[in-house]
Amino acid sequence: MRSAKLGMAAGLLAAAVLWPATPAAAPAQASADKAATPAPLVVCGTDAASGLGVSADRAASCAVALRVAAAYTGILPRTRGAPVEVRAAGSTWVCRERQGDPHPYQECLDTGGSGRRLTLTS
């Protein structure tokens, strides 16, 4: 009887010690998931040469997004799907095709660390 009570007490103590650690881990995972989610995009217009729709995150102005899109679509046929660097609007951008759900799209990221992002979609 005494060993059963001792075993039960040890189990409850272990649960009490471990229980607070579980909720603390949840916010860290939630913030990691949140950081992985890209910022919402704003529709900026249509690239004149390709007819693709251009969208930008809140950090990139639509005027910049349209200039980068024009520079990228000007060389897009020659890229053969490979990522390319594009210099436009005073910055260097890396542009590439991404697989969307269900259709692929083009994405350009500012390499200067600003976090600016734009997409081109059909």
Side-chain angles (χ1 to χ4, degrees), residues 33 39-40 87 115:
D33 291 342
R87 292 201 47 82

Side-chain angles (χ1 to χ4, degrees), residues 8 56 77 98:
M8 182 187 237
R98 296 283 192 183

Side-chain angles (χ1 to χ4, degrees), residues 26-50:
Q29 179 61 39
S31 65
D33 291 342
K34 193 177 204 181
T37 304
L41 296 173
V42 176
V43 176
C44 295
T46 304
D47 175 61
S50 67

Side-chain angles (χ1 to χ4, degrees), residues 3-119:
S3 65
K5 286 183 182 179
L6 188 57
M8 182 187 237
L12 290 173
L13 180 61
V17 169
L18 295 175
W19 182 76
T22 304
Q29 179 61 39
S31 65
D33 291 342
K34 193 177 204 181
T37 304
L41 296 173
V42 176
V43 176
C44 295
T46 304
D47 175 61
S50 67
L52 295 173
V54 179
S55 300
D57 64 10
R58 288 179 267 157
S61 73
C62 282
V64 168
L66 291 167
R67 282 187 277 174
V68 172
Y72 178 49
T73 58
I75 63 168
L76 186 58
R78 297 186 304 272
T79 66
R80 295 189 177 125
V84 295
E85 283 191 358
V86 175
R87 292 201 47 82
S91 296
T92 301
W93 299 73
V94 173
C95 300
R96 67 178 53 99
E97 184 173 293
R98 296 283 192 183
Q99 183 57 49
D101 184 21
H103 304 291
Y105 63 95
Q106 307 299 319
E107 177 184 60
C108 297
L109 302 172
D110 183 358
T111 63
S114 70
R116 295 185 296 178
R117 174 179 173 257
L118 66 97
T119 62

